[in-house]
Amino acid sequence: MQQLNTSNRQRLESLIPVLQQAALKTATPSLAYNHLADLIETIAQRSAYIALLVEYPEIVQRVARIMSASPLAAQVLLKNPLLLDSLIDWRTLLQPIDLANVHEQLHRDLDASVIHEGEPDIERQMNLMRDTQKIISFQLLAQDLENELTVEHLADYLSALADMLLEESLYRTWQQLRKSSKFDLPEKPKFAVISYGRLGGKELGYSSDLDLVLIFDDPADYAVEVYAKLGRRLSTWLSSMTSSGRMYEIDLRLRPDGDAGLLAVSIDGFEHYQNDLAWVWEHQALTRARFSAGDTQVGEKFEKVRRSILLKQRDLATLKRDIVDMRIKMKDGHPNPTPLFDIKQDYGGMVDVEFITQYLVLGYSHRHHELLENLGNIALLTIAGNAGLIPMELAEKCANAYRTYRKLQHEIRLRGEEKARISMDQLQEERSDVRKLWELVFDSTHTIAEAKTE
């Protein structure tokens, strides 16, 4: 406070009663006031932000409500005070987001970010993209806290945002590479970004990692060298820490041969690996994979390979054993030392539903092609029920259980808790339904596995 000039000190002093009144109007006044005090301490040296709060006291009320409702939101605001600007027009903040328009504006702003003679300002471009990601994510967070979005719609938006940023990142890194390369490279790379996991299933959360596989289809002699370099640059562009933070944590370990494999693989190499070398768990992961960015023709070739793998007729007994073995390994890799129920990892939880769905896709897609579509666990369970592969009533119950798990997991993470764990007396019916379906699908092997590991 002593380091501030007189004008800024006076503004701060006039803000104190505004902060107190705003905190008192929340459900947790002490928590809200502490968050507001932390925010003021963060922005005290930035006179523009202090002036903003003095001029718009209603922003303080909105900040208090958001920060007290979610520690996650509080941390986002504390790390990114630039988001305060978005709170001026509350009605606009709660409007549906047009990502196509956002992308057009971002593309223009990035093109305009030059140092001299058209040379791009890489650092500024990377910061612009990170700022855009944070602003849109915060807008979604505000709508989320106002109950304007379901968990499913939120995940759709966050996944579409990630796809858009992947597309723009790929464009920027390719332009860099074309300028510096010794090869005469085409205007657009014959390269696709394939998403797996949460992004692949369009179930992305606010802080989800991106599981990516990078594929190219180019007969040129330079292809392996150039696309490996493109993969490294894309990875750096997405995950490097700049003054605006990090855009995404990314994980490339699902590529053929994992960490030992090439960073970018040819479509032919990918097909050979999936046909001849991949483990069952890699085919499980393939059920949730999709094209996210890049050359659509390469994306179409990937989808053709994906479908051909999923259409294979498998020995169901062997498939069941392999999936149960992987489930045991996953459970052992995520021990829960608490007396609570881990919504995601414990038996009867989210992973069980996901493994059941993956088994149904791998085991029966050759007879029921509708299972090939990457529609998410809830829709696929319903399809399997309609096809008579599992009892329809139990399919609906487990689909509802999965929806409940996702919603509760989301609410817990909004509260700032890393692990989504609840009391054992909660969701007993949902857990029982999931276990019944598991035992029906896997011939009771789940109960055996649980007895061995507990």
Side-chain angles (χ1 to χ4, degrees):
M1 194 84 162
Q2 297 300 322
Q3 298 172 348
L4 302 178
N5 60 43
T6 303
S7 176
N8 228 23
R9 192 180 307 120
Q10 289 173 345
R11 288 196 186 105
L12 273 178
E13 289 172 352
S14 69
L15 266 181
I16 301 300
V18 178
L19 302 180
Q20 292 171 337
Q21 288 300 313
L24 287 171
K25 291 178 181 178
T26 69
T28 54
S30 296
L31 178 65
Y33 187 79
N34 287 337
H35 282 319
L36 288 170
D38 289 341
L39 179 63
I40 296 303
E41 184 177 348
T42 300
I43 65 173
Q45 300 288 347
R46 307 183 190 187
S47 57
Y49 288 128
I50 298 298
L52 178 71
L53 296 181
V54 171
E55 184 176 356
Y56 297 97
E58 64 271 22
I59 293 180
V60 179
Q61 182 62 62
R62 291 166 190 160
V63 170
R65 188 165 75 248
I66 290 173
M67 295 180 95
S68 63
S70 167
L72 172 64
Q75 288 304 310
V76 169
L77 275 170
L78 286 170
K79 291 178 180 178
N80 305 281
L82 68 92
L83 297 172
L84 291 171
D85 291 330
S86 64
L87 292 171
I88 296 174
D89 190 344
W90 186 247
R91 286 174 297 180
T92 299
L93 191 68
L94 298 183
Q95 290 296 311
I97 300 167
D98 187 336
L99 280 178
N101 284 342
V102 171
H103 192 183
E104 287 178 13
Q105 184 60 55
L106 174 63
H107 192 82
R108 286 195 295 269
D109 291 343
L110 291 167
D111 281 346
S113 299
V114 295
I115 301 172
H116 57 82
E117 297 180 357
E119 188 68 23
D121 186 337
I122 302 300
E123 183 177 357
R124 187 179 172 197
Q125 288 182 337
M126 293 175 78
N127 284 335
L128 268 172
M129 292 194 69
R130 282 152 177 74
D131 290 344
T132 298
Q133 193 252 5
K134 287 176 171 59
I135 289 167
I136 300 303
S137 296
F138 183 73
Q139 186 171 351
L140 292 169
L141 178 55
Q143 294 179 14
D144 185 10
L145 293 173
E146 291 291 313
N147 297 313
E148 296 286 332
L149 294 171
T150 65
V151 174
E152 288 85 359
H153 285 138
L154 171 67
D156 285 343
Y157 269 120
L158 288 170
S159 300
L161 173 63
D163 286 353
M164 180 270 279
L165 293 171
L166 284 169
E167 188 71 59
E168 190 62 37
S169 297
L170 180 57
Y171 173 80
R172 297 296 157 182
T173 49
W174 182 247
Q175 295 310 309
Q176 289 178 29
L177 191 54
R178 285 187 74 206
K179 287 183 178 180
S180 62
S181 179
K182 61 186 177 183
F183 302 108
D184 182 20
L185 302 180
E187 183 179 347
K188 294 182 180 180
K190 297 176 182 179
F191 183 93
V193 180
I194 307 300
S195 56
Y196 280 66
R198 294 295 172 206
L199 179 57
K202 295 186 179 180
E203 294 182 351
L204 208 64
Y206 292 116
S207 55
S208 298
D209 294 353
L210 305 187
D211 294 307
L212 306 176
V213 170
L214 309 176
I215 293 177
F216 64 88
D217 183 32
D218 192 334
D221 292 339
Y222 59 66
V224 173
E225 177 184 344
V226 165
Y227 291 117
K229 187 176 291 186
L230 177 60
R232 286 193 296 274
R233 292 199 178 193
L234 180 63
S235 174
T236 299
W237 186 278
L238 292 166
S239 60
S240 290
M241 181 67 74
T242 72
S243 57
S244 289
R246 198 187 313 276
M247 191 159 21
Y248 291 107
E249 293 277 4
I250 65 168
D251 190 336
L252 297 167
R253 290 175 296 178
L254 280 170
R255 67 187 186 271
D257 293 317
D259 284 339
L262 296 170
L263 203 59
V265 63
S266 71
I267 187 68
D268 291 338
F270 180 81
E271 184 175 18
H272 165 68
Y273 181 86
Q274 292 294 335
N275 275 312
D276 301 328
L277 300 171
W279 297 83
V280 168
W281 67 264
E282 292 175 286
H283 289 171
Q284 288 179 248
L286 203 59
T287 66
R288 288 160 59 84
R290 64 180 179 86
F291 168 74
S292 271
D295 187 312
T296 55
Q297 290 186 337
V298 181
E300 288 167 3
K301 289 184 178 182
F302 160 77
E303 181 59 19
K304 186 177 178 181
V305 171
R306 188 186 84 92
R307 286 174 175 260
S308 72
I309 298 298
L310 300 186
L311 282 169
K312 287 179 180 292
Q313 188 167 347
R314 294 168 169 83
D315 178 76
L316 295 184
T318 302
L319 179 63
K320 288 177 183 181
R321 185 177 63 249
D322 289 342
I323 289 179
V324 170
D325 287 347
M326 178 52 62
R327 179 68 182 102
I328 295 171
K329 289 179 182 177
M330 181 172 281
K331 179 69 166 66
D332 290 345
H334 296 84
N336 178 8
T338 75
L340 302 174
F341 174 69
D342 189 309
I343 292 172
K344 181 179 179 181
Q345 298 292 347
D346 282 351
Y347 292 131
M350 293 177 70
V351 172
D352 275 7
V353 178
E354 291 164 1
F355 272 44
I356 290 167
T357 305
Q358 290 160 13
Y359 165 77
L360 294 169
V361 172
L362 293 176
Y364 296 100
S365 285
H366 68 283
R367 280 171 33 198
H368 301 279
H369 290 189
E370 60 270 29
L371 288 169
L372 290 169
E373 306 303 326
N374 186 353
L375 299 174
N377 295 288
I378 293 171
L380 289 170
L381 284 173
T382 303
I383 290 171
N386 285 327
L389 302 177
I390 53 177
M392 191 66 214
E393 181 181 3
L394 198 50
E396 290 175 346
K397 286 182 176 179
C398 289
N400 288 331
Y402 191 75
R403 185 179 289 111
T404 300
Y405 290 156
R406 282 188 65 191
K407 186 173 185 296
L408 189 54
Q409 181 191 53
H410 178 67
E411 291 170 354
I412 290 171
R413 288 183 173 167
L414 275 180
R415 298 201 299 262
E417 298 174 37
E418 184 178 345
K419 299 289 186 182
R421 291 171 176 164
I422 59 173
S423 170
M424 279 293 185
D425 59 7
Q426 292 180 260
L427 302 183
Q428 291 185 3
E429 187 174 339
E430 287 82 356
R431 289 153 52 198
S432 175
D433 289 334
V434 172
R435 291 164 74 109
K436 283 177 186 175
L437 184 57
W438 179 284
E439 291 173 7
L440 177 68
V441 167
F442 292 103
D443 304 323
S444 299
T445 48
H446 188 291
T447 307
I448 297 169
E450 186 167 1
K452 287 179 179 178
T453 56
E454 290 189 347

